[in-house]
Every structure is written in C-alpha cells, then in structure tokens.
Amino acid sequence: MEKFAILKEEKNEFQCTVANILFFKGVGLHTGREASVVIRPAKADTGITFVRRDLKPNVIIKANPGSICSTTLRTSIGSAKALPYACISTVEHLMSALWGAGIDNAVIEIDGDEIPAMDGSARVFYEAFYESGIKELSANRKYIEILKPVVITRAPAGGGGDGSGVSIAVYPADDFEVSYAMDFNHPLVRSGSFDMKIDGFNFHKEISKARTFGFLKDVEHLKKSGLALGGSLDNALVLNETSVLNKEGLRYKDEFIRHKVLDLIGDIYLSGYRIKGRVSAKKTGHDMNSKLVKKIWGHVENDKEDVFTRREKETPRPLIVKITVPVQFA
Ligand code: ZN
C-alpha cells in the first residue's frame, strides 16, 4: 500500500509534559454532572492517558482514535475492556488545550464520565498549563507527516455530489495549518471561513477562548435526548433567532467558527501525535473529524515500531529542563 503519512521524529524538538499536578472541577456540558480532574506529569512516549478513577478497578483509556466511542455533538472515548463500558465524554476542548500548550504526555484522572466544560472553551485549561509550567522531556517529539492528500467526503442528503456536502482533507505542509468553512442556517453563523497556520503561541490568542455554541430552538430537544444538560450561558454561547443571548457578547467577531477550529484541533490530536499538514474541513463535526484521524492513525501505527527502535539506538539526551513560557493573559 502506498504511504500517505509517516511517523517522524523531530530532532530539534522535545516532548513535554506538565511540570506540576493540576486540578479542575466543574459541570459537564452534556451530562450536567460535576466531576473533578487531576492532571499529572507523565513519561516520554506514553502519550495522553485518561483514567476513570471513580471505577474500581480504575479504567485506563488511551487518547487515540481506537478509543473513540461516540461523536454525537462531542467526542467521547472509552474502553471496551471494562464492563460496564467505561466512557469519558467531551474530551475535545481539553485535548485542544493540551495540543496548544505543547503537552505530549500526561495522565488525566477523572472521577466522572465527562470532562468539565469550564467556560466552554479551552482557555481555562490552556492558561493553567502555562501558569503551572510545562516540562521538557529528553525524548524527541514525533510528528505525523502527511505525504499525500487524504480526502474524506460525505455527500449531501439526497446525493448530488455537487460539493455542497461535508468534507475533510489533509494535505502535505511544513507546519500545522487549518482551514475551516461553515454554513449554518442562522443569520449570525450562516457562512464563514477561517484559514491559519496554528502553533502553540497563536493558539492562545486566536483559538483558545472561543466558546462552544448552541441554538435556543434545539435546547429542549437536546435535553430530552440527554444532551446539553449542563449547558448554560456560563459555558456556551446561546443563539435565539437573531442574536446571542450572552450579555457579555462575543470574544471574537467570528467566535463560532473559531470554536469549530478549536474542536477540530482537539479531535485531530486524538491521532496520538501532532500533525505536519494542512487540514481543510468543510462543515465538519466530531464524526467526520474522527473519521480522518482514524484513517491516518491506522496508517501510521505500523511505522511506530520503526521509529521507537531507531530512537533507542541513539544516545538519549540526559538533560531534563523545566521551562515556563511567559504568556500575558488578558
Ligand atoms: Zn466544542
């Protein structure tokens, strides 16, 4: 099979973890249940690992596409090894903050089944990571490098294939770039596009503060379906027919599309690695985002052993440096 992506070490970059233990508590956007989260440092090459510590025995869920178990309005990961099925919902905003803060390895313990919504964005997590410090580890960072375009499309209902459907693609690029096009049937979010090279620094300013959003007309139906039970004006932008109900208004003029990009970054990071490539998404949600990461992940998993063996033959860098990047928070 012709390779469209490979796993590669970046020689001049090192993996990171959190320098200190962090603690978050809050209500889940969909379940409405309160949960506490403890984030601990982890060794190089262990990735992001979630632990349901409220279950006995504790259930470990790796943050990778093989764990994705639901993509309805949020991304949930779970472990089929545990009975009853152990799941953690709405991981995407935290995953996005981990990506933005450059954290490759961490253990995330939770005493419930949904990551707290906090303010509905990635800001609280991201700022906490930087304020408490990021620790550089001795192993090189690994990237998924895209060699050839991968395009996944979903035709509009009724077919037609006229390009008006949902699509997601990734193309070769030297950095991580995202373009997103949205189209909702609402005057404030009818259409828009976003296109940017994103790194850990502009993530904070341009993406991290964008809150999740919902439409007032959908709230009753969602709540009947057991979704959005914890949603409020404190953790989501809510739109009526013509305007935003949140008194403080928008944090960005195009906050809605920036939140779609925030979600996309979190979903893409479930590939288990950072990606060097240009992701181009049109009207996607968590379902299509996860289709792309599953495709890429399945492809690069075979490379993993090569990369790890190669690294072990080299002399590891013995130094462990604690770095705290100064970020001005508004
Ligand atoms: Zn979201």
Side-chain angles (χ1 to χ4, degrees):
M1 188 174 55
E2 214 178 352
K3 283 203 175 301
F4 59 77
I6 53 166
L7 197 57
K8 240 179 150 179
E9 280 197 3
E10 183 62 68
K11 297 292 176 201
N12 301 315
E13 242 179 81
F14 295 92
Q15 295 180 32
C16 292
T17 187
V18 289
N20 297 293
I21 297 169
L22 292 109
F23 179 79
F24 301 94
K25 190 177 190 174
V27 168
L29 185 68
H30 291 291
T31 61
R33 288 192 282 273
E34 191 170 81
S36 298
V37 170
V38 179
I39 302 186
R40 299 180 190 277
K43 287 181 188 163
D45 293 324
T46 55
I48 309 295
T49 307
F50 287 82
V51 181
R52 277 285 300 269
R53 62 173 182 177
D54 56 318
L55 302 176
K56 299 286 177 269
N58 292 174
V59 176
I60 293 169
I61 304 167
K62 294 297 288 182
N64 67 40
S67 303
I68 297 171
C69 57
S70 174
T71 52
T72 307
L73 295 181
R74 80 280 194 229
T75 300
S76 304
I77 56 173
S79 170
K81 287 182 196 152
L83 288 172
Y85 197 82
C87 207
I88 302 171
S89 293
T90 324
V91 296
E92 63 272 19
H93 302 165
L94 176 54
M95 288 301 295
S96 198
L98 290 163
W99 183 92
I103 296 164
D104 306 272
N105 309 285
V107 174
I108 299 167
E109 299 173 358
I110 181 165
D111 65 356
D113 60 358
E114 186 176 21
I115 302 294
M118 312 315 285
D119 71 345
S121 74
R123 179 175 74 172
V124 178
F125 298 123
Y126 178 93
E127 294 185 354
F129 293 144
Y130 267 109
E131 279 165 3
S132 75
I134 314 278
K135 189 167 89 175
E136 203 172 77
L137 302 168
S138 58
N140 288 115
R141 179 172 275 162
K142 295 175 189 66
Y143 281 90
I144 293 173
E145 193 175 303
I146 303 299
L147 305 175
K148 288 181 191 322
V150 180
V151 183
I152 301 173
T153 56
R154 191 171 69 205
D162 59 355
S164 62
V166 178
S167 69
I168 187 161
V170 62
Y171 302 95
D174 293 336
D175 300 291
F176 181 64
E177 298 169 20
V178 174
S179 83
Y180 193 93
M182 72 173 185
D183 186 9
F184 282 92
N185 185 21
H186 188 282
L188 286 182
V189 285
R190 182 154 288 149
S191 65
S193 62
F194 182 92
D195 196 332
M196 193 178 278
K197 184 163 101 178
I198 301 173
D199 58 32
F201 294 100
N202 66 10
F203 176 88
H204 176 239
K205 187 166 171 256
E206 309 288 350
I207 306 291
S208 73
K209 299 164 199 170
R211 288 161 291 177
T212 189
F213 59 95
F215 302 96
L216 195 60
K217 65 179 173 57
D218 297 334
V219 168
E220 203 179 324
H221 168 73
L222 286 172
K223 291 199 169 175
K224 271 188 195 155
S225 314
L227 292 165
L229 295 171
S232 73
L233 293 171
D234 293 330
N235 59 25
L237 289 166
V238 182
L239 295 120
N240 66 12
E241 299 295 308
T242 54
S243 57
V244 175
L245 299 186
N246 305 62
K247 285 202 176 68
E248 73 280 14
L250 298 176
R251 292 176 179 176
Y252 306 97
K253 210 168 72 192
D254 55 353
E255 188 168 352
F256 309 103
I257 196 163
R258 285 175 196 249
H259 186 79
K260 298 296 283 183
V261 173
L262 185 157
D263 278 344
L264 179 63
I265 293 170
D267 286 342
I268 294 285
Y269 199 30
L270 276 179
S271 61
Y273 301 95
R274 306 168 83 77
I275 286 179
K276 278 188 201 249
R278 174 179 173 77
V279 178
S280 181
K282 189 176 171 193
K283 298 196 283 184
T284 64
H286 302 297
D287 57 338
M288 286 294 280
N289 299 347
S290 70
K291 280 194 173 74
L292 179 71
V293 291
K294 279 180 181 173
K295 190 165 172 90
I296 296 170
W297 183 66
H299 196 71
V300 300
E301 268 299 282
N302 300 331
D303 286 344
K304 207 168 160 181
E305 216 162 295
D306 288 356
V307 173
F308 279 66
T309 321
R310 271 204 306 276
R311 187 172 65 73
E312 265 153 36
K313 283 182 192 154
E314 292 160 11
T315 315
R317 182 171 175 263
L319 190 66
I320 294 182
V321 189
K322 184 182 160 185
I323 53 162
T324 304
V325 178
V327 176
Q328 292 300 314
F329 298 115

